[in-house]
Amino acid sequence: MNKKIDQQSADNIRALAVAMVEKANSGHPGGPMGGADFMHILYSEFFNYDPTDMTWPFRDRFFMDAGHLSTLMYAQYYLLGNYKKEDVANFRQWGSITPGHPEVDLKRGIENTSGPLGQGHTMGVGAAIAAKFLGARFGDWMDHKVYGFISDGGVQEEISQGAGRIAGHLGLNNFIMFYDSNDIQLSTSTDEVTTEDTAMKYESWGWKVVTIDGHNHDEIRKALTDANAETEKPTLIIGKTIMGKGCVTSEGKTFEGECELHGQPIGHTGADYTKTLINLGANPDSPFDIYEDVSAFYEDLLQRKIVEARDKKVDISIWREAFPEDAKKLDFFLSGELPALDFEAIEHKAGLASRAASSGVLGYLAEHVENMIVSSADLSNSDKTDGFLKKTHALKKGDFSGSFLQAGVAELTMACIANGIALHGGVIPVVATFFVFSDYMKPAIRLSGIQELGVKYVWTHDAFRVGEDGPTHQPIEQEAQIRLLEKLKNHSGNPSFLALRPADSAETSVAWKMALENKNTPTGLILSRQGIKDLPTKGTSRYQDALAAEKGGYLVKEVENPDVVLVANGSEVATLVAATEILETEHNLKVNIASVISEGVFRLQSKEYQNSIIPKNKPLFGLTAGLPVNLEGLVGDAGKVFGLDHFGYSAPATVLDDKFGFTSEKVSQQVLEYLKTV
């Protein structure tokens, strides 16, 4: 312990944060100045990782919730050698590796993309669950910690309720969170918006809570020591800090704790930039320097970290030699590869709802994919994830040998936890709820896409045929919203999401195959509540036919020189098959039917293939239980899409089919009316 170097290091972090924001003329300097002491003590004395192997699977992990405090991370990691001087000097600039909010960058220590408050620490909870899951299978030596950093805004975001409840309920003693409690938010002081007792709230959820002076290094040290020794509960360290710690005016007077220091360069406030740098021990002419003594301290620190990681790796090697089969299995989990799976062997009864077919697939996966966690928002018997649950048991405090997470009614929290599980690695996350409640999940779905995570979303009750539950539960516009993400590219240049709405049981098996093989983007399976008549078999088996869905779209019925091509996905494909029987037998028309499970994947195929399925020189008619825009891009301006432009109503599904015009008779009439116009 060296009080002088500890203070210099924290002040160096403060000065760097101030300089980054000032040069960029954009950012949040006050918060990083308050959190600098905790970061330095955490990384210098407690955080275990290997500087020579940043993706080491058994490292500790740090999940930032308050993404606007990105300069706090960049400054700390600059001291650790993860960034260069020019990197921090180019904060928030085009092409820099120090963006305005942290983005996943494992080789530099950034474990998660953060910015939307509340999600960062919730992803940390997910990572802690993944670590517990793996530890239950491979041993207590897998004892790495997950640290979170949250601000007043993150505590206030509603998602913190779900994350706090679940972490406490599961007894995630491997999760340690620092709450930077400085009483200041972007536009107000916290006492203007809340009077809750945060400590009491977290204690009621089953957390260990300690309140400290967030600038007192001995108190930080003791809190982290106790948290690391805790065996039953997650820990919340409430650090009372000062916004803009170290800021002074041009006269050298203290200017700390002011709201205006939160979200703008301090040179735009009552503080003085140059005098503040001097007060912190920095050289205003070279503000991005690491102080000489701090540099020497961190060089020694890095060598110590390398030795400690080497010792840990020796212990792991001893375990590997003692348990070679377990070691092989762990490596396989961490590789992200899949075991050999025979989806064709999964048998389905005739005419199943696609949610029921999915249940059968999940039952198969429960027996063949050992590193999968499935979760449901209190709907496992309705979204049919109980097909998986029946083959395992729920995760419990002190017992993570199961593979099912009972998330309770917390769709956003559950989805965000899945992102954290995926970020940790070694475990495949699946989350399920009703499709209409994907609305609750959108912020986390978006971060799944940005972070390029292979989370699997299972959404059932996919259309107005939910029936008697009425308009609140009947998705109309949700498919259009989700399919927009198929049109949005991630930073790797690929569609940011894969949306799959299978047309029958065989396509449901294929959809699961596609979802599991899609490892670098999230996937959504959109499944029916009601039974669907299986599509006719063209080749050796319906499953073999349905494998063509891997191209996004294919013909389930094909004739030469058709008079019209009908296009749909999901249960509407079966409706088109029934309508075609009328069109052919009563009106002597020749009809092709295209099932397009994913427009995004379909658009990735060659133009020749696309035109062979949906030829632009033929009349095209689309049928969708959602907004017409779902299919308008496929049928074009000359085609016609019959869909819904209104919310649903409460009535039995068969009644709604008739009232809304989705019977085979009424659809065939729609096709005939359209053909009169072409």
Side-chain angles (χ1 to χ4, degrees), residues 374-400:
V374 175
S375 185
S376 176
D378 193 40
L379 289 169
S380 59
N381 55 344
S382 292
D383 59 34
K384 296 303 179 183
T385 50
D386 60 358
F388 189 92
L389 178 57
K390 290 172 182 176
K391 302 289 181 68
T392 181
H393 58 272
L395 305 175
K396 300 175 184 177
K397 182 177 181 178
D399 179 9
F400 282 76

Side-chain angles (χ1 to χ4, degrees), residues 588-599:
N588 201 31
L589 291 173
K590 293 189 294 183
V591 181
N592 279 4
I593 303 174
S595 175
V596 184
I597 194 172
S598 165
E599 181 180 353

